């Protein structure tokens, strides 16, 4: 057996030398034929089929769900849950913080009432002041969107998110003492906190440019962004219990402390580039870098603003975000009011029913990410078909269930089921329009995401304001008009997206090759 191998190897070497000498002679008289012929490596593969079969190593198993990139996605998920909880908890604690019908300083106030006021301090804030306090966070988020989208592609994402999360958590700890000092300090804290939370919410999308393989973008992004949906669900469940047992200041202390606790593993475990991570396995590092070798560049080029403004796929993403936030804000802000007007339940039952759409939206969002990547890995659908499919589901299903709601006034369970479906199915967009920017321009995904989110927030503000006016002017048919308008916006936005959306890297987003003569 050993002698036969020696003879085979000697024959292979002789033939390889003959082929290489023939190629050299041929290249002297006809150089063009060298480039068009077979390479030396290709001939080598043809000469040694038996040796290839014997020496070929089994392919390395790519780490799956229990891997470092999924662990980091879960860490971002926790960050999103915390910042959303810190933002939304004031909406419920405001009910306990303000009580104008219970003036302070009455001489016959009981000891129990005094102790309750120490645990739950009460302030005499007018409805206008309450509105300014609640909206101050939104102003900070809106102002910071575009600058963060630009600088997240230049500076360290790890530092931006880590310090912003720490700042938001510290400000959450300072809100109870700020309320005791004066309402102006509460407004300042909430505005700065909104800016910090906007940094976390926007800069995180730059992570997936270097950490998310193309066939896993749906799973990784939906896992992390679904934290925005789970946060309000947790707040609605635990805030009332904490206020009753420990007092409303403890709500801010608990969520602030949780944010500070998450900062430690963030600074220790997260790295901007998988190439620099000391703990990731070699096989996972090679898998990530090899899958992104043609998309990730080491140098950041200037933003092609004019090309982005002329790009229809970018406008498709922006209009899609405008559409999503329109329906999302209506279902988020007016669900408790709809439940109260249609079902006539008490406040505790209202809070529980209002939290259910968030829970099911979290489930649908993660399901969308899993299914979108499943269709791509099995080559069932193309990338653009997957994006359009889940965007269509996220726009059409809430519109259909929402339009049906005003006609179900006689059935309690039907209203609850359709209300949950109308609020939850919109999160199918997490596998569609929400990550479409990573397909067309991974180099500028952070900036595109910031601009599209800003467009969406404007749509959400318009939707909430217009819905309030409709409810005030025409209470009888207000819900019908609200959901019909929401359906019209969803269908219009979907048609525009289906026509002009793309999933290929655009020419203006490709790396420019500079050649020297």
């Amino acid at each position: 057996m050993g002698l036969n191998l020696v003879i085979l190897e000697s024959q292979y070497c002789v033939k390889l030398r003959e082929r290489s000498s023939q190629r050299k002679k041929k290249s002297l008289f006809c150089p063009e034929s060298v480039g068009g012929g077979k390479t030396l490596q290709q001939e080598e593969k043809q000469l040694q089929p038996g040796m290839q079969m014997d020496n070929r190593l089994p392919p390395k198993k790519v780490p799956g769900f229990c891997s470092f990139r999924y662990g980091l996605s879960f860490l971002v998920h926790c960050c999103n849950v915390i910042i959303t909880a810190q933002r939304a908890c004031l909406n419920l604690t405001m009910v306990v913080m303000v009580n104008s019908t219970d003036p302070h300083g009455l001489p016959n106030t009981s000891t129990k009432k005094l102790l309750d006021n120490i645990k739950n301090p009460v302030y005499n804030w007018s409805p206008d002041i309450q509105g300014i306090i609640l909206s101050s966070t939104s102003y900070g988020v809106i102002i910071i969107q575009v600058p963060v989208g630009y600088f997240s592609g230049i500076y360290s994402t790890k530092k931006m998110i880590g310090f912003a999360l720490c700042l938001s958590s510290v400000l959450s700890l300072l809100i109870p003492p700020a309320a005791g000092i004066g309402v102006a300090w509460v407004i300042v804290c909430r505005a700065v906190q909104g800016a910090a939370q906007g940094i976390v919410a926007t800069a995180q999308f730059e992570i997936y440019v270097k950490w998310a393989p193309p066939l896993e973008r749906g799973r990784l992004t939906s896992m992390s962004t679904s934290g925005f949906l789970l946060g309000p669900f947790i707040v609605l469940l635990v805030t009332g219990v904490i206020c009753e047992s420990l007092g409303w200041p403890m709500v801010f202390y608990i969520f602030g402390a949780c944010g500070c606790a998450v900062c430690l593993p963030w600074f220790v475990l997260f790295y901007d580039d998988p190439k620099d991570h000391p703990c990731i396995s070699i096989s996972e590092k090679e898998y990530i870098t090899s899958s992104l070798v043609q998309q990730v560049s080491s140098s950041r080029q200037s933003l092609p603003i004019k090309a982005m403004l002329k790009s229809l796929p970018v406008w498709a993403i922006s209009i899609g975000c405008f559409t999503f936030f329109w329906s999302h804000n209506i279902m988020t802000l007016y669900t408790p009011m709809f439940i109260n007007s249609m079902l006539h339940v008490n406040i505790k039952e209202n809070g529980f029913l209002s939290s259910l759409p968030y829970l099911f939206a979290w489930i649908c969002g993660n399901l969308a990410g899993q299914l979108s990547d499943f269709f791509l890995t099995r080559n069932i659908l193309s990338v653009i078909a997957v994006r359009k499919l889940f965007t269509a589901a996220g726009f059409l299903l809430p519109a259909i269930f929402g339009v049906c709601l005003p006609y179900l006034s006689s059935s309690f369970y039907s209203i609850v089921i359709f209300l949950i479906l109308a609020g939850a199915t919109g999160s199918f967009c997490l596998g569609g329009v929400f990550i479409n920017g990573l397909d067309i321009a991974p180099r500028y995904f952070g900036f595109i995401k910031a601009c599209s989110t800003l467009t969406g927030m404007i749509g959400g503000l318009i939707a909430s304001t217009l819905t309030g006016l409709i409810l005030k002017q025409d209470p009888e048919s207000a819900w019908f008009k609200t959901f019909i308008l929401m359906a019209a916006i969803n269908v219009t936005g979907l048609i525009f997206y289906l026509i002009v959306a793309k999933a290929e890297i655009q020419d203006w987003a490709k790396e420019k090759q500079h050649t020297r003569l």
Side-chain angles (χ1 to χ4, degrees):
M1 184 65 180
L3 182 61
N4 291 335
L5 286 175
V6 172
I7 293 173
L8 285 173
E9 290 180 359
S10 62
Q11 291 176 352
Y12 162 71
C13 293
V14 171
K15 290 183 179 181
L16 188 60
R17 283 197 295 270
E18 290 177 357
R19 292 286 183 90
S20 61
S21 62
Q22 290 175 3
R23 288 173 61 87
K24 289 180 181 179
K25 291 179 181 180
K26 191 174 182 181
S27 64
L28 291 174
F29 298 98
C30 187
E32 298 85 356
S33 62
V34 178
K38 296 180 180 179
T39 63
L40 195 61
Q41 289 80 2
Q42 290 174 335
E43 292 177 348
E44 184 178 351
K45 292 179 181 178
Q46 290 181 350
L47 290 173
Q48 51 175 355
M51 295 178 68
Q52 280 185 344
M53 292 297 293
D54 295 333
N55 298 333
R56 186 175 61 187
L57 296 175
K60 295 182 179 179
K61 186 177 180 181
V62 178
F65 188 78
C66 297
S67 61
F68 217 90
R69 62 189 183 279
Y70 282 94
L72 292 180
S73 182
F74 178 74
L75 184 59
V76 179
H77 173 88
C78 295
C79 295
N80 293 336
V81 170
I82 289 171
I83 64 171
T84 311
Q86 292 174 354
R87 183 189 309 173
C89 64
L90 185 61
N91 298 345
L92 293 179
T93 58
M94 185 68 74
V95 179
V96 187
M97 295 170 67
V98 178
N99 187 6
S100 59
T101 61
D102 184 26
H104 297 288
L106 290 178
N108 58 349
T109 304
S110 63
T111 304
K112 182 179 180 180
K113 200 69 174 179
L114 289 174
L115 293 175
D116 186 64
N117 286 337
I118 295 174
K119 185 174 69 173
N120 287 304
V122 179
Y123 306 101
N124 189 18
W125 294 338
S126 65
D128 295 338
I129 295 297
Q130 296 177 42
I132 295 174
I133 294 173
L134 293 174
S135 62
S136 57
T137 307
S138 301
Y139 298 141
V141 175
I142 292 174
I143 293 172
I144 206 68
Q145 284 293 314
V146 175
V148 172
Y150 176 77
F151 288 112
S152 62
I154 301 176
Y155 298 105
S156 171
T157 309
K158 173 181 181 177
K159 294 179 180 178
M160 291 181 66
I161 295 179
F163 287 121
L165 178 62
C166 183
L167 177 60
S168 176
S169 302
V170 170
L171 289 171
S172 181
L173 298 173
L174 294 178
I175 286 178
I181 297 174
V183 66
W185 290 99
V186 178
I187 296 173
V188 171
C189 285
R190 291 287 291 179
V192 178
Q193 189 181 41
Q197 293 170 357
I199 294 174
V200 177
T202 304
Q204 64 181 265
F205 291 101
E206 193 70 25
I207 296 172
Y208 305 108
V209 176
K210 295 183 179 180
W211 276 96
L215 297 179
E216 297 182 2
R217 287 170 177 170
R219 276 173 283 187
L220 292 172
T221 54
S222 64
M223 180 187 293
S224 59
T225 53
S226 61
F228 293 121
L229 304 170
L230 188 61
F233 172 74
I234 295 175
V235 167
L236 288 170
L237 283 184
V238 305
T239 300
V241 178
I242 297 174
C243 289
E244 289 183 358
S245 58
L246 302 175
W248 68 259
M250 288 301 300
V251 175
F252 296 95
Y253 293 146
I254 290 174
F255 289 130
C258 290
C260 294
V262 172
C263 289
L264 180 60
W266 174 263
F267 282 111
V268 173
L269 298 177
F270 180 76
Y271 280 72
D272 292 322
D273 198 318
K275 297 178 183 178
D276 303 327
H277 207 295
C279 301
I280 189 174
S281 64
I282 296 176
S283 59
E284 184 178 5
K285 184 184 299 184
E286 291 177 351
Y287 168 65
I288 296 173
T289 54
S290 61
S291 63
L292 299 173
V293 66
Q294 296 181 350
Q295 297 186 20
V296 177
S297 175
S298 58
S299 60
R300 172 68 182 260
Q301 300 175 358
S302 60
L303 284 172
I305 301 295
K306 292 183 179 180
M308 288 183 181
L309 292 175
K310 296 178 181 179
S311 176
L312 286 177
V314 174
W315 279 104
I317 296 172
S318 299
I319 297 299
C321 288
F322 181 93
T323 304
F324 172 82
F325 276 91
W326 183 288
S327 57
H328 179 73
N329 270 33
I330 290 176
M331 299 307 302
T332 300
L333 297 177
Y334 290 97
T335 291
M337 189 181 299
F338 179 81
I339 291 174
N340 184 61
S341 63
M342 300 291 288
L343 302 180
H344 307 289
V345 296
N346 59 45
I347 187 64
K348 181 178 282 189
E349 292 175 346
N350 195 326
F352 174 73
L353 294 176
S354 299
S355 68
L356 291 179
Y358 290 105
L359 176 62
F360 284 90
W362 178 76
I363 296 173
C364 290
N366 284 283
L367 181 63
Q370 295 290 332
L371 288 177
S372 63
D373 286 346
F374 173 79
F375 291 146
L376 293 177
T377 53
R378 299 298 179 90
N379 292 321
I380 299 175
L381 296 173
S382 63
V383 178
I384 186 59
V386 169
R387 301 294 178 248
K388 290 182 178 180
L389 172 64
F390 284 94
T391 303
F395 287 172
L396 286 181
L397 293 179
I400 294 172
F401 293 126
V403 169
C404 294
L405 278 172
Y407 298 100
L408 302 172
S409 57
S410 60
S411 176
F412 177 89
Y413 292 104
S414 298
I415 291 177
V416 172
I417 292 173
F418 274 70
L419 188 64
I420 292 173
L421 292 174
T425 52
S427 60
F428 280 121
C429 290
L430 296 184
V433 64
F434 263 55
I435 56 173
N436 195 190
L438 198 55
D439 301 320
I440 66 170
R443 192 184 313 278
Y444 308 110
F445 179 51
F447 184 77
I448 293 175
K449 189 63 182 176
C451 294
S452 59
T453 302
L454 178 61
T455 306
M457 294 182 70
I458 294 174
L461 290 174
I462 297 174
S464 58
T465 304
L466 188 59
T467 302
L469 294 176
I470 293 174
L471 292 173
K472 183 179 180 180
Q473 293 179 358
D474 190 7
E476 294 183 0
S477 60
W479 294 116
F480 175 77
K481 293 180 179 179
T482 298
F483 290 119
I484 284 292
L485 180 61
M486 185 184 80
I489 295 293
N490 282 18
V491 172
T492 304
L494 176 60
I495 293 173
F496 183 81
Y497 183 82
L498 293 178
I499 293 174
V500 304
K502 302 292 182 182
E504 303 84 14
I505 298 180
Q506 302 299 294
D507 293 335
W508 48 266
K510 296 179 180 178
E511 185 175 6
K512 298 178 181 178
Q513 300 291 340
H514 300 283
T515 57
R516 294 183 180 180
L517 297 177

